[in-house]
Amino acid sequence: MFLLDVRYNPENSTITRWIKDGAVCRPVREVFYPRIYISCKPELLSLVASLPGVKHTNYEEKSTWLGKGPEKVISATIEPNAVYEIANMLEAKGCSLYNIDLDPVRQYMLEHGLFPMARLKGDVLDDSQYSIDYEIPELVSMELSVTPGREKGIITMGDPISRITLGNTFIENKDEGEMIAELNREVARANPDLIITEKGDSFELPYLHYRASLHDIDLQLGREKDILPEGSGKSYFSYGRIIYKPKGYMLSGRLHLDRSIFVFREGGLLGLIDLSRITGIPMQELSRLSPGSAVTALQVNQALRDGVLVPWKRNLAEYWKTAEELLIADRGALVIEPKVGLHENAFEIDFTSLFPNIMVKHNISPETVLCGCCPDSEKRVPFTHYNICQQHIGLIPRVLKPLIERRMTYKRRIIEFPLRAEEYEMKQNILKWLLVTSFGYMGFNKARFGRIECHESITAYGRDILLRTIELADDMGFEILHGIVDSLWVKGREPEKLCELASHEIGIPLELKGEFRWIVFLPDKSNGVGALNRYYGVMTNGKLKVRGIETRRSDTPKLISNLQDAMLGKLAEAKNASEFYMKIPEAIGLLREYTRKVLGNDCEFSDLIFKTHVSRGCDEYRQFNNQLAAMKQLKQEGIETLAGQSIRYIITDHKSRSWQKRVMIPELADDDTQYDRAKYYEHLLRAAESMLLPFGYTQERLDELMKGKMQKNLLIYGIS
DNA sequence: ATCACCCGGGG
DNA sequence: GTGTACGGGTGAT
């Protein structure tokens, strides 16, 4: 038997465990009240106990912050819907509140030592949360998709369903209400454990539910009555950009997983199960979270197990420096300006998981950096000279160390067990993302266990490590071509020796990432100086590595990335520098083919689409631009674009100031639509320039080259 | 010239 | 229910 899912209903304070027992999946229910902690005068216990909604109170010994000894606090179990009201009231009375926004499901699992997908024997756990080799139940998984009955134009909720696909079953050519009723029956009959959709949260499920409501039918996809999410999605800030997140359509007793969401995309089902087990977050919820939340969950779990409470709204202003102070203390990571142009026989060497390894090796955690117990510690952060605790290992290293080891185990197994390589690859990949975000979280002022001095210390160690490695490489006679954060590009002999020596000296593994037959570092187009993250090259295994240019960007039309990919493919045929130079004319020949196609009006609309995320609503833009024009067209069609959603458009008349004329959203394009040939021609030249600028091919020069041979073609195509 | 706005990582 | 800071590009003002 396995614990497929745990759900909580705050209306009746009931926990439901969904037990997968062979082919059967059954609910087991019990009443459960979340527990909060209050730090205040002990006399307040009777007041707390008398509050409406409070079930049970007690005194407990708990630590209220990392590194602090236990103290007497009040614990109270409370009706879930009363938690925030009571917390606010007590906070106003001067109490400090803890474990307030801890999801009841996770509290329940922690209290009972349970975790998602755990194997059970009767009612008891028969599994170990952090084991690597665990059994998973046979899960019945079905893909669900819906096709609306509209060939072109903008699809809206108003369009009736044309076809529903569930697994291998097609439901079509029927009255819409009958189709939905059949879907209900089919789901009940096939009884899957997982329903997987492409974009279920933003499209399939809300659309199906809406269509069902028109026929007075209840769509029933879960093993228990579906509860629709209330309200619309949310726009939030992440990775320096606004993201739109739709409300999650979660099912009871059956898991709805949306393929387009991060964790599922990066780790697949097995990665999701693995992460769900170690974080204790149920799969449906986890599949909709960012890796940062998973990292926080691991930290919170560890803290709770250590008897440390989780503060409510922790955002200690005095910890956070002003922007100016930050600028002085945090010079960020080290960067060596790349040498622009072509290089033969270059090596890329990287420190694996540099920042997480620094945190573990140097014991960096909010309670260990500048700790009160070791002011004279011998462990000092480079540049800043902060003292680090020598007596206790911090929360962060204790969480990260097993994570790094787990990932290393999976990475080893990719090689040891080739038949299961794909599975281990997905599992290590998802863990990699957790490690990456664990660093950024330190500098995030809303992070539960973040602290800016930790962030600073990590980058300081990073600078120190890269500087020492450069020195070592220099001593060994290597030429340094480029360096950034945790990577170096060097030219010389026997890079393995450098890696070995540096790994030994630094104590963090330095890996040989690749040997390049040749690599081109590109300049900043505005000043010709080497740009930090713009390069392309071919490794000795024949693989291309490309960064920073148009083809890597998600907003680039296919036409442009196709050109660059073709040019890269052509250049990649070169085995060395002299062959590379000989390939340049052929690459320019490809540019000629593409420009002819564009000017000859011979392009597919689908290749011309720009796609960008909008950062704000239609009325909030200060500047008129292409995407605003596209948003206005959508709005006229009755579709509101929310911050974080993406929009697509084709440029039709780039110089026009009119939002109707300037661009065209693809849904409205027809045979009469004329794209802006001059503009796409310009974009092609720029894309070629991006790659060939170090060799003297500017946009102007390329334009002349095209025009020189273009005269005849212009006549053929009849363009003047 | 300066400001506005978008994208990026890894395998 | 959430990474920040910043370099790089293009385009508007």
Side-chain angles (χ1 to χ4, degrees):
Chain A
M1 296 196 295
F2 292 87
L3 185 59
L4 182 73
D5 200 9
V6 179
R7 313 249 325 144
Y8 190 62
N9 182 356
E11 298 308 320
N12 55 13
S13 310
T14 302
I15 279 276
T16 306
R17 279 177 289 150
W18 286 93
I19 310 287
K20 173 88 181 147
D21 187 359
V24 183
C25 189
R26 62 168 198 276
V28 178
R29 290 178 222 282
E30 66 188 278
V31 170
F32 177 78
Y33 297 104
R35 182 186 302 274
I36 71 167
Y37 290 86
I38 306 135
S39 166
C40 58
K41 291 194 208 91
E43 305 88 87
L44 281 175
L45 181 74
S46 55
L47 166 76
V48 174
S50 70
L51 292 170
V54 172
K55 288 289 164 190
H56 185 74
T57 55
N58 212 343
Y59 291 118
E60 282 186 45
E61 295 282 321
K62 292 279 181 187
S63 163
T64 56
W65 181 235
L66 298 173
K68 278 175 81 174
E71 57 189 274
K72 197 174 181 184
V73 293
I74 297 169
S75 90
T77 50
I78 296 186
E79 275 178 17
N81 289 332
V83 168
Y84 284 95
E85 200 182 323
I86 288 173
N88 277 316
M89 197 271 260
L90 289 171
E91 191 182 46
K93 286 204 181 296
C95 302
S96 300
L97 282 296
Y98 300 90
N99 294 17
I100 301 299
D101 34 19
L102 221 56
D103 175 28
V105 170
R106 280 182 50 209
Q107 283 198 37
Y108 173 86
M109 296 233 244
L110 277 164
E111 271 184 32
H112 293 76
L114 290 172
F115 48 92
M117 284 293 172
R119 191 175 60 196
L120 307 169
K121 211 175 219 164
D123 235 13
V124 285
L125 185 71
D126 179 32
D127 203 342
S128 163
Q129 187 164 17
Y130 303 102
S131 68
I132 301 267
D133 296 296
Y134 48 83
E135 190 188 342
I136 49 174
E138 262 184 53
L139 297 169
V140 180
S141 168
M142 296 185 101
E143 302 266 345
L144 171 67
S145 69
V146 199
T147 317
R150 175 186 278 269
E151 294 292 305
K152 56 180 188 173
I154 300 166
I155 294 163
T156 67
M157 299 281 247
D159 298 315
I161 297 168
S162 157
R163 178 159 85 174
I164 302 172
T165 311
L166 179 73
N168 298 322
T169 309
F170 298 100
I171 305 170
E172 57 193 332
N173 301 327
K174 275 186 203 128
D175 168 71
E176 189 177 46
E178 180 48 38
M179 281 162 63
I180 295 167
E182 191 174 331
L183 174 63
N184 282 347
R185 288 194 298 273
E186 195 52 34
V187 169
R189 191 193 62 78
N191 194 21
D193 301 299
L194 311 173
I195 289 186
I196 296 173
T197 60
E198 211 46 60
K199 285 180 178 211
D201 283 347
S202 55
F203 173 60
E204 279 96 349
L205 266 55
Y207 174 61
L208 278 170
H209 271 287
Y210 175 76
R211 297 310 302 177
S213 71
L214 295 183
H215 301 276
D216 262 334
I217 300 174
D218 283 331
L219 181 67
Q220 182 54 53
L221 297 178
R223 283 180 166 133
E224 208 160 66
K225 191 168 166 43
D226 293 0
I227 298 167
L228 296 182
E230 282 167 25
S232 61
K234 261 196 177 155
S235 298
Y236 65 93
F237 203 69
S238 167
Y239 278 73
R241 126 173 24 160
I242 300 259
I243 309 266
Y244 179 77
K245 180 176 171 182
K247 272 278 160 100
Y249 275 70
M250 256 92 78
L251 305 176
S252 293
R254 184 171 286 143
L255 310 177
H256 167 221
L257 304 176
D258 177 327
R259 243 182 227 298
S260 66
I261 309 176
F262 181 86
V263 182
F264 200 82
R265 209 175 55 224
E266 293 295 326
L269 182 60
L270 294 174
L272 180 63
I273 291 174
D274 201 51
L275 192 59
S276 193
R277 286 173 58 99
I278 62 174
T279 56
I281 303 173
M283 286 167 65
Q284 281 193 105
E285 282 81 1
L286 179 63
S287 77
R288 288 158 174 83
L289 291 178
S290 74
S293 311
V295 171
T296 307
L298 288 170
Q299 295 169 356
V300 167
N301 293 350
Q302 183 65 48
L304 292 173
R305 274 196 296 263
D306 294 347
V308 178
L309 300 175
V310 182
W312 186 31
K313 303 192 228 175
R314 196 191 104 75
N315 193 355
L316 301 181
E318 66 266 30
Y319 260 6
W320 304 96
K321 301 197 167 169
T322 65
E324 201 181 347
E325 282 173 313
L326 254 174
L327 213 68
I328 297 161
D330 177 16
R331 238 158 277 173
L334 183 76
V335 162
I336 307 293
E337 193 178 283
K339 295 185 174 169
V340 172
L342 181 68
H343 304 275
E344 270 182 314
N345 299 322
F347 297 97
E348 183 188 347
I349 52 181
D350 289 4
F351 283 101
T352 38
S353 296
L354 178 64
F355 288 170
N357 271 306
I358 287 173
M359 291 184 253
V360 171
K361 185 172 159 55
H362 297 289
N363 192 23
I364 294 176
S365 196
E367 79 277 29
T368 55
V369 171
L370 288 172
C371 73
C373 56
C374 321
D376 301 319
S377 168
E378 281 158 28
K379 279 188 79 68
R380 296 278 159 179
V381 178
F383 308 107
T384 67
H385 305 294
Y386 294 157
N387 61 292
I388 295 182
C389 189
Q390 288 184 298
Q391 298 183 43
H392 309 285
I393 299 173
L395 173 78
I396 304 297
R398 275 185 295 136
V399 169
L400 288 183
K401 195 168 181 227
L403 214 56
I404 292 173
E405 280 162 5
R406 193 178 182 87
R407 176 165 181 242
M408 297 293 268
T409 305
Y410 284 143
K411 282 185 84 167
R412 277 198 304 275
R413 290 198 176 191
I414 293 171
I415 300 159
E416 288 166 12
F417 303 97
L419 288 177
R420 293 176 66 182
E422 202 183 338
E423 171 190 340
Y424 290 128
E425 174 55 37
M426 287 195 289
K427 289 179 177 173
Q428 79 82 19
N429 192 41
I430 204 74
L431 293 178
K432 181 196 70 201
W433 276 105
L434 292 205
L435 292 172
V436 167
T437 42
S438 66
F439 160 68
Y441 240 62
M442 276 289 185
F444 177 41
N445 68 353
K446 285 178 189 140
R448 275 271 144 72
F449 297 109
R451 184 172 173 186
I452 198 68
E453 286 87 347
C454 293
H455 194 267
E456 266 174 54
S457 302
I458 297 161
T459 54
Y461 273 111
R463 278 207 303 285
D464 182 58
I465 286 169
L466 206 63
L467 276 173
R468 282 160 61 196
T469 311
I470 287 169
E471 220 167 279
L472 203 62
D474 197 45
D475 288 347
M476 291 173 74
F478 285 92
E479 183 190 356
I480 315 292
L481 296 174
H482 179 29
I484 184 164
V485 191
D486 55 359
S487 309
L488 280 179
W489 283 264
V490 298
K491 210 170 153 173
R493 290 178 176 280
E494 299 186 302
E496 296 85 358
K497 280 202 172 152
L498 171 60
C499 290
E500 202 178 309
L501 209 64
S503 304
H504 185 257
E505 187 153 311
I506 308 286
I508 293 171
L510 180 65
E511 268 186 324
L512 180 60
K513 257 295 181 56
E515 177 183 358
F516 287 87
R517 287 178 188 149
W518 51 262
I519 186 165
V520 178
F521 291 112
L522 297 165
D524 182 325
K525 278 185 176 180
S526 62
N527 58 21
V529 174
L532 302 182
N533 252 326
R534 287 169 71 81
Y535 60 86
Y536 60 96
V538 177
M539 294 191 272
T540 44
N541 63 11
K543 277 193 182 158
L544 270 164
K545 182 156 184 178
V546 184
R547 290 294 176 274
I549 61 173
E550 287 81 349
T551 186
R552 295 283 301 179
R553 294 175 60 106
S554 60
D555 54 350
T556 304
K558 269 195 219 137
L559 174 79
I560 310 297
S561 47
N562 286 348
L563 167 69
Q564 281 192 332
D565 292 346
M567 289 174 69
L568 286 164
K570 184 48 78 183
L571 294 170
E573 292 170 10
K575 296 271 185 286
N576 53 43
S578 59
E579 284 183 27
F580 177 91
Y581 287 113
M582 295 199 297
K583 290 286 176 191
I584 291 180
E586 291 183 53
I588 291 174
L590 289 165
L591 171 64
R592 186 166 291 121
E593 278 177 34
Y594 275 77
T595 53
R596 274 180 193 164
K597 238 171 106 174
V598 162
L599 295 178
N601 231 344
D602 202 17
C603 292
E604 299 283 336
F605 284 148
S606 58
D607 288 342
L608 301 176
I609 299 169
F610 287 85
K611 186 174 155 189
T612 70
H613 286 92
V614 303
S615 60
R616 59 202 74 191
C618 209
D619 309 322
E620 295 161 85
Y621 277 90
R622 279 168 288 187
Q623 213 167 257
F624 176 73
N625 59 22
N626 290 342
Q627 59 180 14
L628 181 55
M631 282 171 85
K632 287 193 169 176
Q633 288 185 17
L634 276 170
K635 197 175 181 183
Q636 194 180 40
E637 298 298 314
I639 294 178
E640 190 84 27
T641 319
L642 301 168
Q645 290 182 318
S646 68
I647 51 134
R648 308 184 306 146
Y649 61 86
I650 294 163
I651 300 177
T652 45
D653 182 2
H654 192 257
K655 291 203 181 78
S656 171
R657 300 288 307 156
S658 141
W659 59 263
Q660 290 96 336
K661 290 193 184 134
R662 183 171 170 136
V663 303
M664 175 78 83
I665 54 177
E667 290 84 355
L668 297 181
D670 57 32
D671 294 343
D672 297 331
T673 307
Q674 173 62 56
Y675 63 85
D676 188 333
R677 286 176 294 177
K679 195 65 204 173
Y680 282 97
Y681 172 75
E682 188 188 331
H683 275 297
L684 284 174
L685 293 187
R686 279 186 187 166
E689 183 200 56
S690 288
M691 291 173 56
L692 299 176
L693 202 49
F695 313 105
Y697 294 94
T698 59
Q699 194 185 320
E700 292 72 30
R701 171 98 190 278
L702 289 165
D703 186 33
E704 285 164 18
L705 281 173
M706 295 301 112
K707 291 228 169 84
K709 305 268 180 168
M710 197 56 92
Q711 297 304 330
K712 280 174 262 161
N713 303 315
L714 289 180
L715 287 173
I716 293 167
Y717 292 118
I719 301 166
S720 53

